[in-house]
Amino acid sequence: MMIRLLVMDVDGTLTDGKIYVGSEGEIMKSFNVKDGLGINKLHDFGIIPVIITGRQSKILTHRANELNITDVYQGIDSKLDILKQISDKYECDFSEIAYIGDDENDLDCMRLCAMKGCPADAVKEVKKIADFVSQQSGGNGAVREFIEFIIS
């Protein structure tokens, strides 16, 4: 199986799912450097990293820029619609897409993709359909483990 795209959820997958909010709005998210190094590895294997998330965050924009992720979709109600757009953009069949997510809003996308991963603390519905369940929780290296699984 040839994977060309890795689509990632953010909150609960690339982060621990905690959202720190101050009086001016969101002030902090925690990302794992191991996940970041794994995402950088994707480029060496010709795999394009993509982010689709329901929330909007300047913090995520900054982190995605650091990791050279150009396909970042924030504030998305229907992740499935964006997944279809990305598939068309890269002329990529769903059989060439891996997806990692942790909650019910990821299920529709996961059902379509060839390879499905999730953190250890994903909801049970996601774990049931995942091909790979990380030993790590979201924000603690789960994405890196999935990337290692994909490229091995």
Side-chain angles (χ1 to χ4, degrees):
M1 172 183 328
M2 169 87 170
I3 297 297
R4 294 179 46 211
L5 301 175
L6 172 59
V7 179
M8 299 168 281
D9 172 49
V10 176
D11 296 310
T13 303
L14 278 168
T15 75
D16 62 8
K18 295 177 183 170
I19 300 165
Y20 300 88
V21 181
S23 61
E24 302 298 316
E26 186 176 80
I27 57 171
M28 190 174 81
K29 285 183 187 273
S30 177
F31 295 94
N32 190 297
V33 294
K34 290 177 184 159
D35 288 339
L37 288 171
I39 290 167
N40 281 329
K41 271 186 170 184
L42 292 174
H43 302 289
D44 297 337
F45 289 87
I47 299 172
I48 300 165
V50 177
I51 289 175
I52 305 175
T53 181
R55 296 184 56 82
Q56 187 79 36
S57 169
K58 291 179 185 173
I59 296 166
L60 174 59
T61 300
H62 180 77
R63 182 66 174 148
N65 287 337
E66 286 180 341
L67 298 174
N68 298 312
I69 302 173
T70 56
D71 290 285
V72 180
Y73 302 87
Q74 298 191 63
I76 303 304
D77 290 327
S78 174
K79 292 183 177 186
L80 187 57
D81 290 343
I82 298 299
L83 183 67
K84 289 175 181 175
Q85 289 175 26
I86 294 164
S87 174
D88 290 344
K89 175 182 177 179
Y90 288 103
E91 298 177 351
C92 184
D93 190 78
F94 293 120
S95 66
E96 301 171 300
I97 301 174
Y99 189 103
I100 184 165
D102 72 306
D103 215 332
E104 293 173 359
N105 62 342
D106 297 305
L107 286 169
D108 289 341
C109 291
M110 291 178 80
R111 286 185 184 109
L112 283 182
C113 292
M115 195 176 291
K116 304 163 253 316
C118 69
D121 58 345
V123 299
K124 67 180 177 182
E125 294 87 352
V126 169
K127 285 182 175 180
K128 280 183 190 175
I129 67 165
D131 302 306
F132 178 85
V133 178
S134 174
Q135 294 181 19
Q136 303 300 321
S137 59
N140 290 304
V143 172
R144 174 67 174 270
E145 276 193 354
F146 187 50
I147 289 169
E148 297 293 339
F149 176 76
I150 292 168
I151 63 178
S152 64

